[in-house]
Amino acid sequence: MLSRDKASDIFDKVQKHSSADEVELIVNGGKSSLTRFANNEITQNVSEENYVLSVRVNLDGRTARATTNKFDEDSIRRVVESATALARVQDKDPDLLPMPAPSEFAAPISPVGRAFFETSSIGPRERAEAVGKMVGVAKQHDLNSAGIFATSESVEALFNSRGVSAYHTQTQADASITMIGTDSSGWQKATYPDARDLDPRRLAETAAKKAKESAHPKELPPGKYTVILEPAAVLDLVGFMFWDWGGQAILDERSFLNNRIGKRIFGENITIIDDVYHPLQTGAPFDGEGVPRKRVPLVENGTVERLVFSRGTAAKLKDSEFRDKVGPVEATGHGFPLPNEIGEMPTNIVITGPAGQSKTVDQMIASTERGILVTRLWYIREVEPYEKLLTGMTRDGTFLIENGQVRQGLLNFRFNESMIHMLNNVEAMSESVRSSGEESFDMVVPAMKVRDFNFTEVTKF
Amino acid sequence: MLACHMKEIGSWVLDICSARGAEYAEARVVDERHRALATKNGKIASASDSESLGLGIRVLADGAWGFAATEDLTRAGVETAAAQALEIARASAQVKKDGVRLAPEKAYQDDWSSPCQIDPFSISIEQNLDLLMKIDAELRSVQGVTLAETNLNFRRYEQWFYNSDGSDIHQLKYTTGAGYAAYSFEGTEIQKRSYPNSFGGQWQDKGYELVEQLKLLENARRIGEEAVALHKADQCPEGRFDIILDSSQLGLQIHESVGHPIELDRVLGMEANFAGTSFLTLDKLHSLKYGSDIVNVVADATESHGPGLGTFKYDDEGVPAQCTPIISNGLFTGYLSSRDTAHMIGLKRSGGTMRAESWNRVPMIRMTNISILPGEKPLTLDELIASTDHGIFFKTNRSWSIDDKRYNFQFGTEIGWEIKGGKLTRMLKNPSYSGITTDFWNSMEAICSRDQWTLWGTPNCGKGQPQQVMGTGHGAAPARFRNVKVGTAYKGAE
């Protein structure tokens, strides 16, 4: 693992070669390994180690970035020269801020401990053993399986010539599995910083149960149904909203929150915060300029309360027509590395319902006269940006619920559903859990029971 | 000097793998460089250069695959990575069935460069930014345009490939991408128009000459005006209509509902956990009526097909580029295959479709240029519209989604027009259409001729775990489909 001292040494070399007004170094990368299986055997098994060195210069009101994965003295000199050359030919940007200094931060960066030796020390044989356990469950149930077991250790370091020095390292273990029957399938996935929290066999058992119980699926006509979305389905849907949750999206007038800040647009039972310090969250406690991340309440009781801001966006918004419409305007530590088109976004989402009112998925099922249980969604895309109308398909475990019980598997549906509509129709939520999907980043979210969810078509399997 | 060192690295890898008992080994050294420039509302949004150099080693040992990648190209670094690849392969063998079987392939010693008239990195950044700023100004000269975004992207990708069969192949590819978009926010709508295609524009394996051919500036004002005009357009109706797809939308339709389902790794279940499987089970080869008699699709990686993002001389297993008939007069005739899957469909040789995103990713079956062949008789888009009594013309993709077996799809486009009496009439906003793959292709009853055909580039196709992004090519001409379900995306929407 690339240490803080080693990263700092690289920054010294960067500074030596730079004649710009200000210079910033970001180093990220690490080791990652992934064992993939299908048809109950390992089909792909990979490992890599790579670090990327990325230099930004500020030069008389201009900025640019250059990146390399080569760390020799010549390459460091060239990457600095490349960033400088890109900056030099631009027009001056009056909105470009000096790089931040630590004295601007209300509080220093609080480290978060997310690196575990037990995860980083896992080798190919241990990964194969974990896969063997999952495949064993498949064989026991006479099913076919496909999936992954992966581990990684990563580092993110940021230094600038005004004294910011930030370093974060973390580990991660991932397992996901699809169990396949003759005419049905089931899926589960989990991701944790500490591999000891991951139980591949239990994931495999749950996926197998779904594959067995969804066998001989029946076709149900499209229409509006009460659905129970498991946490992975919830996060893959709501993830599409958060690209719009930064100040730059408001300035660009490309956000579904345009003219909606301070208004109740979701049900009163919906609360969303961005909190990198939450015990179930991962990620670095600083942003792409080294600004400490703040805990930001985004939605309280259905009302959009706050946005996230990079330093530059906050400064621009303070001088814009939007300044009185978006709540407190200040850098929140959510900016992407500069320069970029997007600005910022929240990536440590925690969604909760009213305290003391959570229901388990089993309780939600028991309270449903007729509805549909959804394990996972797939190929979600935005159809219309202002109502946040999304389309996509159900996959790997879609079930009919009747009279409080899961009755049988269903052919997969296409949905076309507005996130505003959906989050106004949430009837019940489970406790929030750390969850992983495939269409969005990991979040801490509950399962949701939603009425009038709009299925528009049925597929043929 | 550099090439000489690459050969040395290749020999280190092959010697170590051979000494330790590998059944097969290959080394890919990749040196790549990117430049990305973007503007937003009259200012530079991003300006970045990046470069990456590294080595990927794939080995077969005890009948199983192992792969390791490293940026450390010293002898010690290469030896460590090779040993790791072998260790991983032997660990893989702990959970295997029959073992990997490779189709035979000759050894090649070759050197190839993609056609490139003007090295895009030789064009000054000032000249590039000047073009983007002019486009930006033209877009925002239209009242009602609230956001203008432009971009230029250049890539130089150089690869040295060595395998234990004796191949020694050097390939150099240039890729250029360019495009822009105008947004208009008004009331409760955000509308968008893009040129020459959405999601980054047009991409081809060409040099800077592509930028000159695209007539970017000449189309900017029209695109801005269309984005604003969409607010006053009628909502696309719901129902069944004859539809005409422009060539870029047809290109994406091919990508999703032909390109992905013909990937043999999906068909065989190897992508079941993430990208999904395919409705094209092996029994359908040479028996499924995939489309109407005028549907002819090829997977063509050869240079003669054009400068697509799926054009090369050898794939990343060292197999020469080929042209494989996929749909012939409507009949399903071929899959995309690799050296370790060819035997499963009775092929004696791989179809040559294995590609990796870069040095640190393992090669996998990817679309090359999956293209629909144009009609043989002369037919322009204007003539196609003129011969349509009542229908809808769909242009420029806005959303795309298809199920995990690639059967039920739904697409939305940025703009549409109603066709009545052979003429384009009112503009339609939020157009969408949906269907079942084989029903849809069987409803195709006219396609324009070669002069209307464009080889579109899709630079962002995701597949695999860890996910890899790959460029694919799709040649298409405008085509008409009968009795298609339209407007489904808004059915029941509130």
Side-chain angles (χ1 to χ4, degrees):
Chain A
M1 180 58 67
L2 191 126
S3 68
R4 183 180 197 121
D5 286 347
K6 171 77 174 161
S8 179
D9 289 346
I10 296 167
F11 183 56
D12 290 343
K13 290 178 187 168
V14 166
Q15 283 195 296
K16 189 179 82 182
H17 292 297
S18 174
S19 57
D21 302 338
E22 296 176 327
V23 63
E24 170 197 273
L25 169 72
I26 296 177
V27 182
N28 54 38
K31 294 180 187 173
S32 59
S33 302
L34 184 145
T35 302
R36 203 171 188 209
F37 58 103
N39 299 318
N40 290 346
E41 65 175 339
I42 291 174
T43 55
Q44 176 190 315
N45 206 340
V46 300
S47 187
E48 68 157 311
E49 181 166 12
N50 188 31
Y51 297 90
V52 173
L53 179 164
S54 179
V55 171
R56 179 168 76 100
V57 298
N58 274 0
L59 189 67
D60 191 25
R62 302 160 173 91
T63 197
R65 180 174 294 282
T67 299
T68 183
N69 73 334
K70 294 176 247 180
F71 284 63
D72 60 274
E73 188 87 23
D74 260 9
S75 296
I76 291 173
R77 179 183 48 74
R78 275 193 302 108
V79 78
V80 173
E81 286 173 359
S82 180
T84 307
L86 269 174
R88 187 167 286 133
V89 296
Q90 300 174 21
D91 290 335
K92 201 166 180 170
D93 178 0
D95 294 331
L96 180 68
L97 296 177
M99 291 181 185
S103 58
E104 294 173 31
F105 307 154
I109 295 164
S110 304
V112 284
R114 285 168 178 162
F116 297 90
F117 173 75
E118 290 78 2
T119 305
S120 55
S121 62
I122 288 174
R125 294 202 172 268
E126 289 100 325
R127 291 200 307 278
E129 281 167 21
V131 167
K133 287 177 189 170
M134 293 193 272
V135 167
V137 173
K139 288 177 176 170
Q140 187 186 329
H141 291 280
D142 201 21
L143 294 166
N144 198 355
S145 68
I148 60 153
F149 186 88
T151 57
S152 66
E153 53 178 13
S154 60
V155 62
E156 191 173 342
L158 186 150
F159 303 87
N160 76 24
S161 51
R162 299 191 71 205
V164 167
S165 163
Y167 182 86
H168 171 75
T169 181
Q170 68 178 43
T171 53
Q172 184 163 300
D174 303 79
S176 74
I177 182 163
T178 305
M179 290 285 190
I180 304 158
T182 309
D183 56 5
S184 66
S185 56
W187 172 87
Q188 288 290 280
K189 180 180 181 185
T191 304
Y192 295 101
D194 188 343
R196 290 172 297 185
D197 292 330
L198 200 60
D199 186 345
R201 194 193 301 269
R202 188 169 60 80
L203 291 174
E205 289 286 3
T206 307
K209 184 170 182 284
K210 283 177 176 286
K212 299 288 259 191
E213 291 183 355
S214 59
H216 314 305
K218 161 183 166 177
E219 181 172 346
L220 213 60
K224 294 196 173 188
Y225 291 91
T226 291
V227 295
I228 296 168
L229 303 170
E230 294 196 355
V234 170
L235 88 89
D236 273 344
L237 280 171
V238 300
F240 278 75
M241 299 192 303
F242 298 109
W243 290 95
D244 289 14
W245 224 284
Q248 186 63 49
I250 296 293
L251 282 170
D252 291 344
E253 298 186 278
R254 61 173 165 83
S255 170
F256 84 106
L257 300 178
N258 293 338
N259 301 332
R260 284 172 170 154
I261 314 289
K263 295 180 180 171
R264 192 183 74 72
I265 63 169
F266 304 137
E268 289 182 355
N269 53 356
I270 302 295
T271 293
I272 306 174
I273 59 171
D274 186 84
D275 184 6
V276 74
Y277 308 103
H278 189 286
L280 297 179
Q281 276 291 354
T282 60
F286 54 87
D287 75 0
E289 280 190 287
V291 179
R293 284 196 196 278
K294 292 180 178 168
R295 182 180 183 276
V296 182
L298 305 176
V299 174
E300 286 188 62
N301 303 324
T303 299
V304 180
E305 293 289 346
R306 296 279 302 274
L307 300 174
V308 295
F309 297 101
S310 65
R311 294 167 68 242
T313 302
K316 274 186 277 184
L317 252 166
K318 278 178 185 163
D319 291 331
S320 78
E321 59 181 305
F322 302 102
R323 66 182 177 278
D324 298 325
K325 302 176 182 173
V326 295
V329 179
E330 59 181 7
T332 56
H334 290 82
F336 291 116
L338 293 172
N340 72 78
E341 300 98 310
I342 298 163
E344 56 283 296
M345 75 179 282
T347 53
N348 293 100
I349 298 299
V350 180
I351 300 181
T352 54
Q357 293 182 28
S358 67
K359 305 277 188 226
T360 65
V361 170
D362 284 346
Q363 287 171 321
M364 291 182 207
I365 292 168
S367 67
T368 303
E369 192 178 328
R370 184 175 166 81
I372 294 168
L373 173 65
V374 175
T375 299
R376 176 189 192 193
L377 298 171
W378 168 248
Y379 224 131
I380 305 170
R381 291 293 181 273
E382 185 177 89
V383 171
E384 197 282 325
Y386 198 66
E387 295 307 312
K388 270 285 170 277
L389 179 64
L390 306 181
T391 193
M393 301 295 300
T394 66
R395 179 177 172 184
D396 298 325
T398 306
F399 300 91
L400 174 66
I401 303 166
E402 280 182 330
N403 302 321
Q405 288 188 318
V406 172
R407 288 294 178 196
Q408 69 169 106
L410 294 173
L411 295 185
N412 287 302
F413 289 100
R414 170 167 299 286
F415 63 88
N416 280 280
E417 178 63 55
S418 149
M419 288 303 93
I420 294 175
H421 179 259
M422 183 183 100
L423 292 176
N424 269 293
N425 285 317
V426 178
E427 291 184 344
M429 281 175 269
S430 69
E431 289 292 328
S432 301
V433 295
R434 178 173 176 74
S435 189
S436 283
E438 300 293 1
E439 307 268 332
S440 189
F441 49 91
D442 292 357
M443 295 180 198
V444 180
V445 293
M448 289 182 177
K449 180 177 174 181
V450 180
R451 67 177 170 275
D452 292 337
F453 193 87
N454 191 24
F455 290 121
T456 50
E457 291 190 336
V458 184
T459 198
K460 298 193 173 179
F461 58 91
Chain B
M1 176 65 186
L2 190 61
C4 179
H5 183 51
M6 299 309 173
K7 199 180 276 282
E8 191 175 31
I9 290 169
S11 68
W12 292 339
V13 171
L14 299 179
D15 289 349
I16 295 162
C17 292
S18 169
R20 297 195 181 199
E23 294 149 29
Y24 169 83
E26 66 193 20
R28 279 185 310 110
V29 185
V30 175
D31 188 3
E32 59 177 314
R33 182 178 174 195
H34 295 250
R35 172 165 293 163
L37 300 169
T39 68
K40 187 157 88 175
N41 277 358
K43 289 173 63 171
I44 291 169
S46 71
S48 64
D49 272 355
S50 63
E51 59 178 27
S52 180
L53 172 68
L55 163 70
I57 302 169
R58 192 172 70 140
V59 299
L60 192 55
D62 298 344
W65 286 119
F67 177 86
T70 182
E71 62 195 359
D72 183 354
L73 300 185
T74 63
R75 179 155 193 155
V78 170
E79 285 182 354
T80 302
Q84 190 182 17
L86 275 158
E87 183 193 3
I88 290 170
R90 296 206 157 100
S92 302
Q94 288 176 242
V95 188
K96 73 163 190 188
K97 289 192 275 194
D98 299 332
V100 173
R101 190 172 132 197
L102 286 185
E105 188 59 59
K106 290 180 193 165
Y108 301 90
Q109 292 78 43
D110 207 347
D111 196 329
W112 177 80
S113 298
S114 68
C116 172
Q117 292 171 21
I118 306 167
D119 177 352
F121 291 94
S122 71
I123 304 299
S124 74
I125 300 159
E126 293 99 316
Q127 184 180 331
N128 286 321
L129 291 176
D130 181 58
L131 172 65
L132 296 183
M133 287 300 185
K134 281 181 178 153
I135 295 166
D136 178 285
E138 189 75 357
L139 291 170
R140 288 189 301 126
S141 70
V142 178
Q143 192 174 7
V145 169
T146 48
L147 175 62
E149 293 180 334
T150 73
N151 73 86
L152 278 173
N153 293 274
F154 308 122
R155 183 189 195 208
R156 182 187 190 278
Y157 191 88
E158 187 167 20
Q159 174 169 291
W160 293 261
F161 174 91
Y162 308 93
N163 74 7
S164 52
D165 293 340
S167 280
D168 174 347
I169 300 165
H170 172 244
Q171 296 187 94
L172 172 62
K173 260 175 85 156
Y174 282 95
T175 301
T176 295
Y180 54 83
Y183 293 75
S184 176
F185 173 56
E186 185 184 314
T188 58
E189 281 183 354
I190 301 167
Q191 293 292 349
K192 176 188 180 189
R193 282 292 286 127
S194 308
Y195 182 86
N197 198 358
S198 44
F199 310 107
Q202 169 66 312
W203 298 64
Q204 289 187 329
D205 281 348
K206 279 186 177 176
Y208 197 79
E209 63 273 14
L210 175 69
V211 176
E212 295 171 346
Q213 292 159 4
L214 289 176
K215 300 190 186 314
L216 296 166
L217 190 55
E218 293 89 325
N219 284 279
R221 187 161 181 90
R222 173 179 63 81
I223 290 297
E225 287 170 349
E226 287 179 356
V228 175
L230 278 165
H231 290 294
K232 292 191 171 60
D234 292 331
Q235 174 73 20
C236 178
E238 188 192 330
R240 285 195 171 268
F241 293 88
D242 293 346
I243 68 169
I244 293 175
L245 303 183
D246 81 310
S247 67
S248 67
Q249 174 58 32
L250 187 59
L252 189 62
Q253 180 81 44
I254 295 165
H255 179 98
E256 301 292 354
S257 66
V258 180
H260 279 303
I262 61 173
E263 294 161 350
L264 197 48
D265 52 350
R266 294 179 68 109
V267 173
L268 298 171
M270 295 171 189
E271 290 289 327
N273 185 57
F274 177 65
T277 57
S278 172
F279 73 95
L280 283 175
T281 46
L282 297 179
D283 56 303
K284 296 191 172 59
L285 188 62
H286 302 298
S287 67
L288 176 73
K289 188 81 169 91
Y290 205 129
S292 64
D293 289 350
I294 61 165
V295 176
N296 288 283
V297 175
V298 294
D300 195 342
T302 65
E303 207 173 306
S304 61
H305 190 68
L309 299 190
T311 300
F312 46 80
K313 190 161 184 192
Y314 300 89
D315 77 354
D316 290 345
E317 287 191 312
V319 177
Q322 295 162 46
C323 177
T324 302
I326 300 298
I327 303 175
S328 305
N329 302 120
L331 186 70
F332 172 49
T333 51
Y335 291 105
L336 303 177
S337 59
S338 58
R339 288 187 70 182
D340 62 358
T341 59
H343 71 276
M344 298 179 198
I345 51 170
L347 295 178
K348 291 183 177 162
R349 184 189 189 202
S350 162
T353 66
M354 289 286 272
R355 289 192 290 159
E357 180 182 317
S358 189
W359 57 269
N360 57 347
R361 291 289 176 267
V362 68
M364 59 196 307
I365 292 176
R366 301 305 301 240
M367 286 178 237
T368 55
N369 300 308
I370 314 300
S371 303
I372 189 162
L373 301 182
E376 289 176 5
K377 292 179 187 167
L379 180 65
T380 65
L381 174 60
D382 288 345
E383 290 164 343
L384 186 63
I385 291 167
S387 62
T388 305
D389 182 41
H390 186 203
I392 295 173
F393 177 45
F394 288 80
K395 190 165 188 178
T396 317
N397 184 266
R398 183 162 86 165
S399 70
W400 68 107
S401 175
I402 190 164
D403 66 39
D404 60 290
K405 286 194 196 308
R406 302 280 154 176
Y407 217 36
N408 175 289
F409 62 80
Q410 178 182 295
F411 290 97
T413 58
E414 291 182 346
I415 195 166
W417 286 270
E418 188 168 29
I419 303 167
K420 276 200 168 170
K423 290 187 175 149
L424 290 184
T425 58
R426 59 178 177 148
M427 182 185 285
L428 300 172
K429 66 184 171 190
N430 307 323
S432 66
Y433 67 94
S434 60
I436 294 292
T437 293
T438 44
D439 295 348
F440 181 78
W441 286 108
N442 274 287
S443 77
M444 189 176 118
E445 57 95 56
I447 183 163
C448 293
S449 45
R450 173 67 66 178
D451 58 327
Q452 309 282 297
W453 191 87
T454 304
L455 185 48
W456 293 98
T458 301
N460 57 346
C461 177
K463 185 181 174 185
Q465 292 173 298
Q467 194 167 3
Q468 301 187 40
V469 175
M470 183 55 67
T472 65
H474 305 289
R480 183 170 59 218
F481 299 80
R482 293 290 189 200
N483 196 31
V484 176
K485 203 189 281 187
V486 168
T488 324
Y490 281 78
K491 187 177 180 182
E494 293 177 8

